[in-house]
């Protein structure tokens, strides 16, 4: 049995964010094919030196990914969507916390998302809805 659903694609994303989202879409799709260990290593390198993202910036990045890609906007596009949003934030000079995990309540479902200050961005669920299995958080450079 199938459940009817409608994709929500943001329409008010500025041209610059759409263009940048198109630039990171292919790398995000390529990264989504990597095994978890390698993916974590690559994201660990990409995040170097970036301060934490703000909620507004992370939300704009997520919206931009959904606006340019039906795959990212779809229910099974969470991994490329979250990777693309994290890469967009990095292009803007910041890094959100990138997470993968599972739903806490049945049925079991794997998911990937970005969060800021421990709160999922644009997911529309409570903060404790997912159990985190892997995270790549921002790391501030050491103070001198």
């Amino acid at each position: 049995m199938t459940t009817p659903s409608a994709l929500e694609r943001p329409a008010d994303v500025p041209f610059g964010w759409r263009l940048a989202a198109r630039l990171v879409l292919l790398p995000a799709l390529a990264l989504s094919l990597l095994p978890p260990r390698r993916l974590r290593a690559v994201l660990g390198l990409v995040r170097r030196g970036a301060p934490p993202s703000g909620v507004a910036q992370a939300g704009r990045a997520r919206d931009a990914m959904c606006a340019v890609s039906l795959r990212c906007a779809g229910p099974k596009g969470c991994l490329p969507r979250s990777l693309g949003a994290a890469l967009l934030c990095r292009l803007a000079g910041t890094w959100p916390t990138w997470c993968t995990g599972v739903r806490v309540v049945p049925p079991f479902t794997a998911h990937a998302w970005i969060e800021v200050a421990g709160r999922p961005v644009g997911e529309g669920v409570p903060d404790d809805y997912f159990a985190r299995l892997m995270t790549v958080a921002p790391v501030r450079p050491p103070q001198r």
Side-chain angles (χ1 to χ4, degrees):
M1 180 178 279
T2 61
T3 306
S5 63
L7 299 178
E8 293 182 29
R9 294 184 73 189
D12 58 343
V13 178
F15 176 75
W17 278 92
R18 284 179 185 268
L19 184 62
R22 288 193 188 278
L23 279 171
V24 301
L25 182 58
L26 191 57
L29 291 171
L31 285 173
S32 70
L33 300 175
L34 292 177
R37 177 183 285 171
R38 289 187 192 263
L39 178 58
R40 181 188 289 190
V42 170
L43 293 179
L45 288 173
V46 172
R47 73 170 175 188
R48 290 172 112 185
S53 294
V55 174
Q57 182 183 28
R60 279 193 304 268
R62 185 183 186 283
D63 286 349
M65 293 308 299
C66 291
V68 301
S69 169
L70 278 174
R71 182 175 184 175
C72 289
K76 295 184 180 181
C78 63
L79 185 55
R81 176 178 59 236
S82 65
L83 291 168
L87 293 175
L88 269 177
C89 287
R90 187 61 184 106
L91 279 178
T94 64
W95 185 258
T97 300
W98 177 83
C99 305
T100 60
V102 294
R103 278 190 353 186
V104 177
V105 296
F108 170 83
T109 304
H111 192 56
W113 68 97
I114 59 170
E115 61 182 40
V116 174
R119 305 190 81 176
V121 175
E123 296 296 328
V125 296
D127 297 347
D128 59 351
Y129 191 74
F130 299 111
R132 291 163 193 81
L133 299 177
M134 184 168 67
T135 63
V136 181
V139 177
R140 291 193 176 261
Q143 298 289 333
R144 292 186 179 187

